[in-house]
Amino acid sequence: MGIATNLTKRAQRDYELVLLAREKGDQKAYSDLLETYREPVYYMLLKMTRSTVDADDLTIEAFGKAFRSLNDYSPEYAFSTWLFRIATNNCIDFIRKQKGYTVSMDDNYEDEDGYVSSTVKNIASESKSPEEELMSEQQKTWTHLIVSKLKPHYRVLVEMRYFEEKSYEEIAETLNIPLGSVKAKLFRARALLLDIIKENPHTR
């Protein structure tokens, strides 16, 4: 498959990396895409959620979804456009589930190729279709598989924080470790999860 001529030079470079990643499983290509867009995606999500913890988690989810869906990407749009859309939609779904959670309706997020993503006007909860429910279950299964690759002392923290939805304080009390250690280890665990996603993009 040739490089699309409608893309900018940067977007053409990204498309080359996408081809290497999805057709040859090139780990360096995955790594380059991750390192290029990790911070822009994170800061976009931070602006939407106003939470460093949520932005970290949603960044991991966005790259996980994107890397597993590379076969669905086409160069009609820049990779950054496609990735930002995945991250934005996933974040909006997350916000819908949070009671009392708000997001600015005036915020726009623009990538370097001019894609503008704006939060939708109505973020009220909506019923999921059977297809969406199935995708949700598949996402949960994939997430558990990725987390299972962590070392036990990181895995237990991630499971308590994100699967059992315990607070930092509850984790510290349950495990009888300092609160600062909980936060530091979870920060490290999130970084490790991103590395695992990069190295195992097709794990399901």
Side-chain angles (χ1 to χ4, degrees), residues 30-199:
Y30 282 110
S31 180
D32 287 349
L33 290 169
L34 176 60
E35 292 308 314
T36 297
Y37 293 109
R38 181 173 177 173
E39 285 194 6
V41 168
Y42 169 79
Y43 284 113
M44 178 190 77
L45 295 172
L46 179 60
K47 190 174 183 182
M48 292 178 72
T49 64
R50 298 181 175 85
S51 165
T52 56
V53 172
D54 291 338
D56 274 333
D57 296 341
L58 291 167
T59 297
I60 292 172
E61 289 184 15
F63 278 100
K65 288 184 176 183
F67 285 167
R68 293 197 317 281
S69 304
L70 282 185
N71 286 335
D72 297 329
Y73 170 71
S74 70
E76 179 181 358
Y77 302 104
F79 174 78
S80 56
T81 299
W82 184 72
L83 176 62
F84 272 47
R85 183 177 292 119
I86 288 174
T88 301
N89 290 343
N90 189 54
C91 185
I92 291 171
D93 286 341
F94 169 80
I95 290 170
R96 283 174 174 158
K97 299 172 185 176
Q98 307 305 302
K99 292 183 178 180
Y101 223 33
T102 59
V103 63
S104 172
M105 295 303 164
D106 299 320
D107 287 343
N108 290 324
Y109 314 98
E110 183 173 343
D111 70 11
E112 64 183 56
D113 293 302
Y115 167 65
V116 176
S117 170
S118 58
T119 51
V120 295
K121 292 295 181 182
N122 178 12
I123 59 172
S125 297
E126 298 174 354
S127 298
K128 289 187 176 182
S129 68
E131 292 80 5
E132 289 174 328
E133 290 289 355
L134 176 60
M135 288 300 293
S136 178
E137 288 304 313
Q138 290 175 338
Q139 177 71 14
K140 289 178 183 177
T141 300
W142 180 83
T143 301
H144 279 279
L145 283 172
I146 288 296
V147 170
S148 71
K149 296 178 182 292
L150 289 171
K151 291 182 179 180
H153 63 284
Y154 286 127
R155 185 169 65 244
V156 67
L157 289 169
V158 170
E159 289 175 346
M160 292 179 72
R161 174 64 178 166
Y162 303 116
F163 298 159
E164 300 175 23
E165 300 184 347
K166 292 184 179 296
S167 68
Y168 289 121
E169 291 77 11
E170 288 173 327
I171 295 172
E173 182 177 351
T174 300
L175 299 180
N176 193 28
I177 58 177
L179 181 61
S181 296
V182 172
K183 293 181 177 180
K185 288 185 177 181
L186 277 170
F187 179 84
R188 176 60 179 156
R190 286 193 291 268
L192 291 171
L193 284 172
L194 274 175
D195 288 339
I196 293 171
I197 289 170
K198 177 184 69 180
E199 295 170 2

